[in-house]
Amino acid sequence: MISDLNSINELNKVEFIQKLGWVYEHSPWIAERSWEYKPFISLEDLKQKMEVVVQNASLSEQLQLIKSHPDLAARIDMAEASVKEQSAAGLNSLSPDEYEEFHALNNQYKEKFGFPFIFAVRGSDKTVIKAEMKRRIGLDQENELKEAIKQIHLIASHRLSDFIN
């Protein structure tokens, strides 16, 4: 955890990537490119500049970022931040039937879009998440890609707010 933004602005590039490379799931390239935008005048400025890096990335880089995220309610090894976020939403304590339903929805979603369902689970619960999965399966590819990126930014925003206070 970092206590203030000045500490972030004082980091060299390698340190910056080491400290913030985890914010976007398994995608330290976002921190690497964001470093070029220093100095950051506020936490919001840092968040916005990291979002710009993602928006300016190629479609293949954006898809790789999306694919770096685990399935929700998956019983796999995942980044520590993802484990905490999913646990807080109750996704680690699903009944066998609930797990099977989430697994089926994840598979249906991935079959349609070619990437995992992304949802910023903070403040949500399994009922809300499941309803959102069902709703978003009905979206078209272009709108769902935008929604997935939007959710990724929200996840990163929460992580940055927790990390820099």
Side-chain angles (χ1 to χ4, degrees), residues 78-114:
M78 59 181 85
E80 181 180 340
S82 290
V83 170
K84 289 178 183 176
E85 292 157 357
Q86 290 197 31
S87 294
L91 295 177
N92 67 330
S93 58
L94 298 174
S95 71
D97 289 343
E98 289 171 325
Y99 173 76
E100 287 304 318
E101 186 174 13
F102 268 92
H103 184 71
L105 286 168
N106 276 324
N107 285 341
Q108 182 182 356
Y109 180 94
K110 284 193 298 191
E111 186 175 306
K112 179 173 181 177
F113 297 111

Side-chain angles (χ1 to χ4, degrees), residues 50-132:
M50 291 184 100
E51 287 181 20
V52 165
V53 167
V54 174
Q55 294 311 117
N56 290 337
S58 69
L59 177 59
S60 66
E61 289 172 318
Q62 290 177 353
L63 286 170
Q64 187 57 45
L65 170 62
I66 294 170
K67 290 176 181 178
S68 295
H69 287 75
D71 287 347
L72 291 180
R75 294 180 177 160
I76 59 167
D77 286 334
M78 59 181 85
E80 181 180 340
S82 290
V83 170
K84 289 178 183 176
E85 292 157 357
Q86 290 197 31
S87 294
L91 295 177
N92 67 330
S93 58
L94 298 174
S95 71
D97 289 343
E98 289 171 325
Y99 173 76
E100 287 304 318
E101 186 174 13
F102 268 92
H103 184 71
L105 286 168
N106 276 324
N107 285 341
Q108 182 182 356
Y109 180 94
K110 284 193 298 191
E111 186 175 306
K112 179 173 181 177
F113 297 111
F115 50 79
F117 175 77
I118 310 293
F119 186 73
V121 299
R122 184 175 291 191
S124 291
D125 62 30
K126 59 188 174 187
T127 304
V128 171
I129 296 164
K130 183 170 51 174
E132 186 65 3

